[in-house]
Amino acid sequence: MGVVLLKFGGTSVGNVDKIQKTAEQAIREQELGNQVVIVVSAMGKSTDKLLSLAGEITKAPAKRELDMLLATGEQVTISLLAMALNKKGKEAVSFTGFQAGIETESVHGNARILDIDSERIRDALLAGKIVIVAGFQGITRDGDITTLGRGGSDTTAVALAAELAALKCSICTDVDGVYTSDPRYIKGARKLDELTYDEMLEMAHLGAGVLHPRSVEYAKNFKTPLEVKLSHGREKGTMIKEEMSVEDTKVVRGVAFEDGITRITVHWSRKEDMRVSKVFTELAKNAVDVDIIIQGITGLGHGNLSFTLKTSALLDALAVLEDKKAEIGYEKIESEQELAKVSIVGSGMVSNPGVAATMFEALTDQQIPIKMISTSEIKVSTVVPEREMVKAAQVLHDTFELEKA
């Protein structure tokens, strides 16, 4: 007997019928001889409705109070699922993030998990109960409720799986696995049987919305087998693990893309005045994440620093930089919105130096402007105009023939 963790997103528990199917799936897993832990999100559009209610009161709600509000969504789901399991003759117990012992840092809206005290969960499993945990939430050492940000329920699930040394963690969602690109937009996108942690981590960071990057980080660090599969189905999904079982001939394994990107450029009149570290230190202090970074020096001795971030973080970033203008010493700041990031990913790229050239040539041939570039051993990212995002992704998917197995 071992622990199996199942995670269900909001669409998978969006109504009572789906909650009943989730209960049935948990029972099937328990009847195989496993101890079962379920992590769930808020039902359907519950979080959006809660945000809308907050918006009717104020456009800038206090982050602490917003976390208090949003954490209620998952509490509805866990209680209803426990009732459904009890009705079917199975003992079940529901826990909020606090009751499940999930301790986080004191960053409202985007907290990271620091520790998990799993004693109550383990005791319930030993008593033969199915345990249901509210995803997306935790509590600080000071007793404040926090939320984990976008995809936080994935993070909760994998962190618990690691803590409990689970046999596997299945992310049950509305797609049947991880695809070479988003099949809603890209023709020929193909389901992958398996990916390495590194490949999935890059794709998650680069905009593939199937898994949150933090959840993949947990899985990689603790070597927890991770599966992405269709909710309530019995078919195998995509397995994410340390190494591929069979060498894949594809150099590029996927194309990821993400809209809502903004580029900020900070200008200094003299390169000697550039305080680059100060820029990023102050942004980090205020939990503003940046992505692609480029530093430049002009022939006239002027300095500039460009970086990208989510457009949703633009106002926070500008406020921080304006507040610290005297210390940073810049002359002016410019921003460009309506950008997107399009990336290719593949562990085989490290030994194939011509991949980047092929990528840039394909985009240039289609007259798609490349505004910024970032590379690592297994990915190449470009920033393009948002209106060209899907076209760029399709061009790259076709160029590297990802529709073929």
Side-chain angles (χ1 to χ4, degrees), residues 211-244:
L211 286 173
H212 192 281
R214 289 184 200 169
S215 67
V216 186
E217 288 174 4
Y218 270 106
K220 174 180 168 62
N221 290 341
F222 292 94
K223 293 183 170 53
T224 301
L226 192 58
E227 180 186 26
V228 178
K229 61 174 293 183
L230 187 67
S231 297
H232 313 136
R234 304 195 184 201
E235 303 80 8
K236 289 184 178 179
T238 300
M239 287 301 304
I240 299 150
K241 50 190 180 179
E242 187 69 28
E243 296 177 351
M244 307 289 288

Side-chain angles (χ1 to χ4, degrees), residues 258-261 336-342 367-372 382-392:
E258 180 180 23
D259 60 7
I261 302 296
E336 182 181 4
Q337 301 183 47
E338 297 183 356
L339 300 176
K341 182 169 61 175
V342 180
Q367 299 181 325
I368 298 172
I370 300 172
K371 294 181 174 284
M372 297 178 79
T382 60
V383 175
V384 303
E386 198 169 65
R387 65 181 181 277
E388 302 279 9
M389 179 183 71
V390 174
K391 177 183 177 182

